[in-house]
Amino acid sequence: MSSQFGLYGIEKKFGKFRAISVDTLEFEDDSYIVVLGPSGSGKTTLLRIVAGLETPDRGKVVIGGEDVTNVPSWKRSVGLVFQNYALYPHLTVYQNIAIPLTVEKRPVSEIKKSVDEVVEVMQLHDQVGKFPKQLSGGQQQRVALARAVVKNPKILLMDEPLSNLDTRVRVDLRGYLKDTQRKLGITVIHVTHDQEEAMALGDSVVVVHKGEIVQMGKPREVYGKPNDLFVAGFLGGINLFPRESVESLGIEGDYDTMGIRNEDIYIVEKKDPHQLSGVAGYSQFLGAQTLLNVNVGDIKIMTRIAKDRKIKYGTEVGVILDLKNAVFFKDEKRVDVKIPSI
Amino acid sequence: MRSPTKKQALFLIVPAIIYFLIFALYPMIENIILTFQQENVNTGAYYFVGLKNYYELFQTPHLDRIFENTLIYTFLVPLFDIVLAVPLASFMKRLNKAYILPLVLLSSLIPLVTAAVIWSFMLNPFYGVLYYIDKVDLFSNPWMIVVIDVWTSLPLATLIIYSGLRSIPPAIEEASQMDGIIGARKLFTIDLPYVKSSILSATVLMILYGSFTFDPIYVVKSSAAPFSITDLAYFSYQLFFSDNVGFAAVLMTIMTGISTVIALLFVRLTLWERKSSGRQFFNFMPNKETPRYLAWFFTILYLAFFLFPFMWLILESIKTNPEIVAIPPIIIPYIVTTAHYTLSYIRGSPYFLTSLAVSLGTSLLVLLIGAPAAYATSRYRIGGLKFIGFILFIYSLPTVIFMIPVFEIVNAVGLINSWWGLIIAYPVFVMPLTIWMLYNFYTNFPKHIDEAANMDGMNVFKTFYSVILRLSGDGISVTLLYSFILAWGALIFPLALTYTPFNMSLANPSGAQTATIFVGSTIGHEAFNYGALSAASVISIIPSLILIYIARRRIEKLWRVGGNVS
């Protein structure tokens, strides 16, 4: 049985450049899906195909159990929040939100009721008479969101919705977006290049790279068990050890690289028991934590240490790896390796 | 406090300001003074006559006719222009073909005199296409002037609105697709409100264009009944030539007043963004994308209107004389001849040479004075919006009002009937647009380049002349060509400032009548010589073709008369 929402055998090319190709991608109802990838990876094209702003060269788009591949955007039951909001500058907030309904010639009373409802959810009651220019970035964003959901679409699409905002507003709005999704009981597809945002918001994260989906799963899964070196590096700081440099740890198995995230490496004094030894490099004080560079042989690794801990440049230190969180790769792909209990 | 760079930049703008003070501001004041004076026919000296010239206004016969014609041109031309430009601009956007715009623009870039000649061929009830439609004489009918005006100004109106439509952000286009607003309904609900300021600017510009119609009247006049098509601009020119300078000045002052009001509106619209509001939804409009074949159909109709007259002109120029005057008119000639080209080359070369030299001189002079001024205003905010506002104001004044004082100035320096006389006078109507175009160009020019040059120890002049100017090839070349076209098509100044053709002697030059005079009066009027006239008209179009070819990709961006500056 196919799911309510899905993409099947999708491919889109711009000239010779393959923007995106998807074998099968199915979404669960009412979930918050984040599509994550670097710029140029094809994530926005994926979103635009769902929205109907791009027609795929081949493949099928299913929304609400129906094939909508050849259905125009406005009949697809999708709402889209644009990166720069794309509010109509000559219309008031109220008119902007109401426009998808006025176009359908719904009765005025019904339009008012729907708009009032969504204005309530988005906490925009004080703004309805204003023009977009008179609003702050965060408010404009909420108006764009309101316009996208006023028709009760089955899917809400968001293209980098937070990237035009200040860092602080961005973090506040994350909670707001998640709340809104719960309240409306709607499926959200949210496109971003920010891995922190992806993990904070997503029920599942879809990682896109070079026009392909490289991994899909819950945030913890994608972070902890990345499918390949790209995903491992893109989701957060990771240290890679070629096999020969960690031969002393005695891990058997078919792998060529071992990866360990920054926070899974501990630095101890040289005299304490340790697995590898290294020399401390520069440290970066970041407020909540400190990042420390350590040279292990000719491998440069980075690790987190407590914010008030100071290790002088050039000090010889011991390095302990938390091997139960290690991931192993062969030819850039993850492989399962049994770790001997020590 | 002024920064040292700002002080230096001031010198870049000074020449332009001095020029405009002498050739634009002084004439406006001088006109007002002249309204109280009359010329002594014997000595040429002016004497004070009080309000006598103003009284004359009420005693002129046919003045009602003149005002009526002026009103017809002022309001009907913009009306037709806007009503026709909006659909054309939206069809062009729908079709999105780069080659349509240059084809549309052609008729607005040729000398107005030539345009008028072309239409007098077309609308000749015996020898023109009109024969096949309705055998009426339109030559004494203001509608003929309206047709010529619309043919030459509609492209500009279309360009302004088209540029506006094209500047709608793609996200807004997609948002309206998501919201289900498309086709005609999108045009009225989203696009037109979005480009409201462009439409208003186009309207004002077309009002100015129509209200001071001159060249077509000059050409058609010889076949028209007295006063039947005359308007204020033309009448004041006639008065000047019949030595009624004081009365002419009264009319010019009136025109200056009217256009000041319109121009203020124009400057406001262009330089200040307007607050928008609107709550109409055009729900009755069809919510369906215009089928491409329909857009093509109408676009081709428009193109036929724009281009057919050119075809007619070219056919006319290669017909033999008997075929030119055949009734019914012959469309495709049986015998092709180049005799008319030979004749107009022999007779016309002094005129064409003058136009070439004067247009070249003018465009270089205008660049020399205008480019630094545009750069200084856009970069260092010298004069700021006030200076640019003043430039746009000059741009929106009818050329005819500068005629008398500029004649006096050129006469005073002894340059009447010479190339140099025209070259120093032309910038008053060419330079405003040059500065405006380059102002827009430099506003979009990356600022870090001059900052880098400053950091490298160059002063403002060095930065401008050795860095900026070398990098502005794009903007300069199009502006230069456009200035050339404006100078090439000029009629009023050559009429006022010259009286003989060039004597073809560079050692002892005299005479400076231009190609526009050759086409507009000499050749068609002395004898019944339509062949040579049409051949000369074809030749007069060549610079415009070159401009369009070279600037075909850039003209949309540079000619931002209607856009907002922000």
Side-chain angles (χ1 to χ4, degrees):
Chain A
M1 196 203 87
S2 68
S3 127
Q4 286 290 85
F5 311 110
L7 300 177
Y8 305 96
I10 293 284
E11 188 174 72
K12 177 76 190 174
K13 282 184 177 170
F14 296 114
K16 281 193 176 154
F17 174 73
R18 191 195 59 185
I20 187 83
S21 110
V22 180
D23 280 343
T24 304
L25 179 65
E26 296 184 333
F27 315 131
E28 276 174 45
D29 276 3
D30 302 343
S31 55
Y32 201 115
I33 295 143
V34 180
V35 178
L36 174 68
S39 58
S41 60
K43 57 188 192 306
T44 298
T45 311
L46 180 81
L47 184 90
R48 290 166 59 86
I49 287 173
V50 179
L53 294 172
E54 267 345 314
T55 320
D57 300 332
R58 58 181 177 80
K60 198 165 82 164
V61 182
V62 171
I63 295 173
E66 284 170 49
D67 181 352
V68 295
T69 318
N70 295 313
V71 174
S73 307
W74 62 95
K75 291 184 184 158
R76 280 191 178 196
S77 192
V78 292
L80 171 59
V81 178
F82 289 85
Q83 181 169 7
N84 52 8
Y85 320 136
L87 299 175
Y88 305 116
H90 62 291
L91 301 180
T92 61
V93 167
Y94 183 92
Q95 291 165 338
N96 261 291
I97 298 174
I99 206 161
L101 305 176
T102 32
V103 171
E104 295 189 339
K105 303 185 189 177
R106 299 209 189 159
V108 176
S109 58
E110 192 195 317
I111 293 175
K112 185 157 177 7
K113 195 168 153 272
S114 310
V115 175
D116 285 347
E117 255 172 47
V118 52
V119 160
E120 187 66 39
V121 177
M122 304 295 165
Q123 297 155 32
L124 283 166
H125 8 263
D126 302 335
Q127 323 292 342
V128 286
K130 292 187 184 168
F131 286 97
K133 256 184 219 162
Q134 298 165 292
L135 303 182
S136 70
Q139 288 167 332
Q140 289 188 19
Q141 221 247 344
R142 269 146 51 198
V143 177
L145 196 56
R147 179 179 64 179
V149 299
V150 74
K151 257 166 91 174
N152 283 322
K154 296 206 171 83
I155 307 186
L156 173 62
L157 307 169
M158 294 195 274
D159 186 7
E160 301 269 4
L162 303 178
S163 65
N164 280 1
L165 300 169
D166 297 340
T167 321
R168 280 187 56 192
V169 184
R170 210 183 295 171
V171 175
D172 287 350
L173 267 176
R174 279 185 200 159
Y176 177 81
L177 286 181
K178 193 98 180 176
D179 272 356
T180 310
Q181 184 245 347
R182 294 264 153 75
K183 268 188 222 158
L184 297 170
I186 192 173
T187 302
V188 169
I189 303 178
H190 173 139
V191 162
T192 182
H193 65 272
D194 179 342
Q195 93 287 351
E196 218 178 276
E197 191 175 303
M199 289 188 285
L201 280 168
D203 293 329
S204 28
V205 176
V206 178
V207 187
V208 181
H209 183 46
K210 289 186 179 162
E212 275 176 20
I213 294 176
V214 285
Q215 189 164 8
M216 179 176 172
K218 292 192 165 33
R220 279 169 208 281
E221 215 175 282
V222 179
Y223 185 78
K225 291 206 177 305
N227 274 356
D228 61 17
L229 284 180
F230 166 77
V231 179
F234 194 65
L235 284 218
I238 194 160
N239 300 292
L240 300 175
F241 296 90
R243 181 165 185 159
E244 49 291 4
S245 66
V246 287
E247 212 69 76
S248 62
L249 302 177
I251 306 167
E252 297 297 323
D254 186 18
Y255 67 96
D256 55 26
T257 308
M258 179 179 81
I260 294 197
R261 297 227 174 258
N262 295 349
E263 63 274 20
D264 295 326
I265 296 180
Y266 305 98
I267 299 302
V268 294
E269 282 183 46
K270 183 78 176 155
K271 59 182 187 329
D272 295 330
H274 55 263
Q275 291 162 320
L276 302 169
S277 46
V279 180
Y282 288 106
S283 58
Q284 308 171 30
F285 174 65
L286 299 178
Q289 63 193 20
T290 297
L291 290 180
L292 177 71
N293 290 301
V294 178
N295 295 321
V296 178
D298 49 8
I299 303 163
K300 289 185 164 55
I301 61 170
M302 188 175 271
T303 165
R304 288 182 188 182
I305 55 176
K307 63 177 174 184
D308 44 6
R309 190 169 161 198
K310 280 179 196 150
I311 299 178
K312 257 200 187 148
Y313 179 85
T315 318
E316 290 198 15
V317 292
V319 176
I320 295 175
L321 310 175
D322 187 351
L323 287 179
K324 66 177 188 302
N325 289 328
V327 270
F328 297 88
F329 301 93
K330 182 172 169 67
D331 299 330
E332 308 215 338
K333 300 280 177 223
R334 182 167 55 86
V335 287
D336 283 323
V337 165
K338 244 193 133 54
I339 298 155
S341 47
I342 311 161
Chain B
M1 203 194 84
R2 280 222 164 128
S3 68
T5 49
K6 227 174 163 167
K7 259 187 211 155
Q8 289 175 355
L10 198 59
F11 285 97
L12 292 175
I13 205 173
V14 162
I17 289 181
I18 293 176
Y19 181 86
F20 281 121
L21 286 182
I22 297 172
F23 283 88
L25 204 62
Y26 162 74
M28 282 187 258
I29 297 163
E30 175 66 8
N31 272 341
I32 297 174
I33 297 170
L34 280 175
T35 62
F36 303 107
Q37 294 181 334
Q38 247 169 28
E39 195 179 7
N40 183 317
V41 188
N42 299 318
T43 61
Y46 290 104
Y47 59 94
F48 183 74
V49 291
L51 292 174
K52 187 165 169 289
N53 290 321
Y54 288 89
Y55 292 135
E56 206 166 329
L57 189 62
F58 302 100
Q59 286 152 9
T60 311
H62 307 295
L63 199 68
D64 50 340
R65 195 64 222 258
I66 290 166
F67 269 101
E68 199 187 306
N69 288 338
T70 310
L71 285 179
I72 289 177
Y73 305 149
T74 307
F75 292 105
L76 285 186
V77 172
L79 185 73
F80 283 120
D81 277 341
I82 300 302
V83 166
L84 291 172
V86 168
L88 176 57
S90 64
F91 292 141
M92 280 164 63
K93 191 180 167 191
R94 169 92 174 94
L95 296 174
N96 195 21
K97 296 272 182 254
Y99 55 82
I100 297 178
L101 185 63
L103 293 178
V104 167
L105 283 179
L106 185 59
S107 66
S108 71
L109 295 178
I110 64 170
L112 265 169
V113 170
T114 310
V117 167
I118 294 178
W119 279 94
S120 24
F121 283 140
M122 296 267 295
L123 298 182
N124 189 306
F126 303 114
Y127 317 127
V129 211
L130 191 65
Y131 179 90
Y132 293 107
I133 302 165
D134 190 6
K135 295 169 205 60
V136 289
D137 177 15
L138 292 176
F139 282 73
S140 298
N141 190 330
W143 280 94
M144 175 152 172
I145 304 299
V146 171
V147 170
I148 299 172
D149 268 357
V150 169
W151 190 68
T152 49
S153 61
L154 176 57
L156 178 55
T158 308
L159 175 63
I160 294 170
I161 296 170
Y162 177 67
S163 308
L165 286 178
R166 299 258 296 182
S167 69
I168 298 176
I172 291 279
E173 305 269 346
E174 290 177 347
S176 61
Q177 191 185 338
M178 295 302 299
D179 295 338
I181 311 166
I182 38 174
R185 204 186 295 178
K186 170 167 171 285
L187 179 70
F188 284 93
T189 323
I190 310 293
D191 294 356
L192 292 188
Y194 210 95
V195 298
K196 200 160 78 178
S197 65
S198 302
I199 295 176
L200 284 169
S201 303
T203 312
V204 174
L205 216 57
M206 294 303 113
I207 288 176
L208 290 166
Y209 191 94
S211 63
F212 303 112
T213 303
F214 180 88
D215 307 32
I217 302 173
Y218 177 79
V219 171
V220 176
K221 187 74 181 35
S222 58
S223 322
F227 295 104
S228 57
I229 54 171
T230 304
D231 67 354
L232 269 181
Y234 191 77
F235 186 52
S236 60
Y237 159 83
Q238 279 183 317
L239 289 173
F240 170 64
F241 268 76
S242 54
D243 282 332
N244 203 341
V245 173
F247 186 29
V250 170
L251 295 183
M252 287 170 185
T253 306
I254 293 176
M255 283 188 277
T256 312
I258 297 172
S259 51
T260 303
V261 175
I262 307 174
L264 280 178
L265 197 67
F266 173 62
V267 172
R268 269 201 94 79
L269 286 175
T270 309
L271 294 183
W272 284 273
E273 226 172 304
R274 288 170 54 85
K275 255 198 191 156
S276 50
S277 70
R279 77 161 275 116
Q280 284 146 322
F281 293 107
F282 290 78
N283 263 342
F284 58 90
M285 296 301 294
N287 200 18
K288 236 180 96 182
E289 198 82 87
T290 326
R292 284 183 77 84
Y293 67 86
L294 215 60
W296 268 120
F297 174 74
F298 284 112
T299 307
I300 287 169
L301 274 189
Y302 274 103
L303 286 178
F305 169 64
F306 286 125
L307 299 178
F308 180 74
F310 286 108
M311 202 191 79
W312 187 262
L313 177 73
I314 291 168
L315 289 176
E316 194 85 354
S317 72
I318 53 173
K319 286 182 198 166
T320 53
N321 277 329
E323 284 188 351
I324 288 175
V325 293
I327 304 176
I330 291 166
I331 294 175
I332 307 287
Y334 293 102
I335 309 161
V336 170
T337 173
T338 55
H340 305 309
Y341 285 93
T342 319
L343 182 64
S344 55
Y345 172 75
I346 295 166
R347 298 254 339 256
S349 36
Y351 300 92
F352 283 110
L353 190 65
T354 298
S355 280
L356 209 62
V358 169
S359 307
L360 210 61
T362 304
S363 30
L364 289 176
L365 179 64
V366 153
L367 194 69
L368 199 71
I369 305 178
Y375 170 76
T377 322
S378 107
R379 211 35 119 237
Y380 298 96
R381 301 265 137 226
I382 304 285
L385 284 183
K386 274 192 211 112
F387 177 70
I388 285 298
F390 176 69
I391 291 294
L392 288 174
F393 169 59
I394 302 293
Y395 171 66
S396 48
L397 291 174
T399 312
V400 74
I401 68 153
F402 300 111
M403 186 174 63
I404 303 171
V406 166
F407 174 84
E408 285 174 4
I409 296 170
V410 175
N411 196 18
V413 292
L415 290 175
I416 289 291
N417 204 26
S418 75
W419 287 1
W420 285 110
L422 294 181
I423 291 174
I424 61 164
Y426 275 16
V428 71
F429 64 88
V430 177
M431 197 154 61
L433 207 59
T434 315
I435 293 183
W436 174 237
M437 284 167 83
L438 285 173
Y439 172 80
N440 283 329
F441 176 77
Y442 284 124
T443 306
N444 298 322
F445 196 79
K447 204 173 176 166
H448 57 84
I449 292 178
D450 13 353
E451 282 168 352
N454 285 341
M455 292 308 292
D456 293 341
M458 297 189 198
N459 63 23
V460 172
F461 309 110
K462 192 138 179 62
T463 305
F464 179 68
Y465 287 106
S466 55
V467 181
I468 302 296
L469 213 50
R470 289 189 191 177
L471 294 172
S472 3
D474 237 30
I476 298 278
S477 59
V478 176
T479 311
L480 205 63
L481 275 162
Y482 194 65
S483 316
F484 186 93
I485 293 293
L486 281 182
W488 180 261
L491 177 65
I492 293 175
F493 277 14
L495 283 176
L497 303 176
T498 66
Y499 47 84
T500 55
F502 182 54
N503 61 356
M504 298 304 265
S505 145
L506 286 174
N508 189 14
S510 92
Q513 283 194 316
T514 57
T516 42
I517 294 183
F518 181 64
V519 171
S521 54
T522 315
I523 189 165
H525 296 258
E526 286 173 357
F528 190 72
N529 197 345
Y530 280 9
L533 177 54
S534 54
S537 301
V538 172
I539 297 170
S540 73
I541 291 169
I542 292 170
S544 321
L545 290 174
I546 295 173
L547 167 79
I548 286 194
Y549 181 74
I550 293 178
R552 65 197 180 283
R553 290 183 211 294
R554 282 165 279 187
I555 198 147
E556 181 194 343
K557 282 180 202 142
L558 269 169
W559 200 355
R560 275 261 193 82
V561 182
N564 283 318
V565 188
S566 52

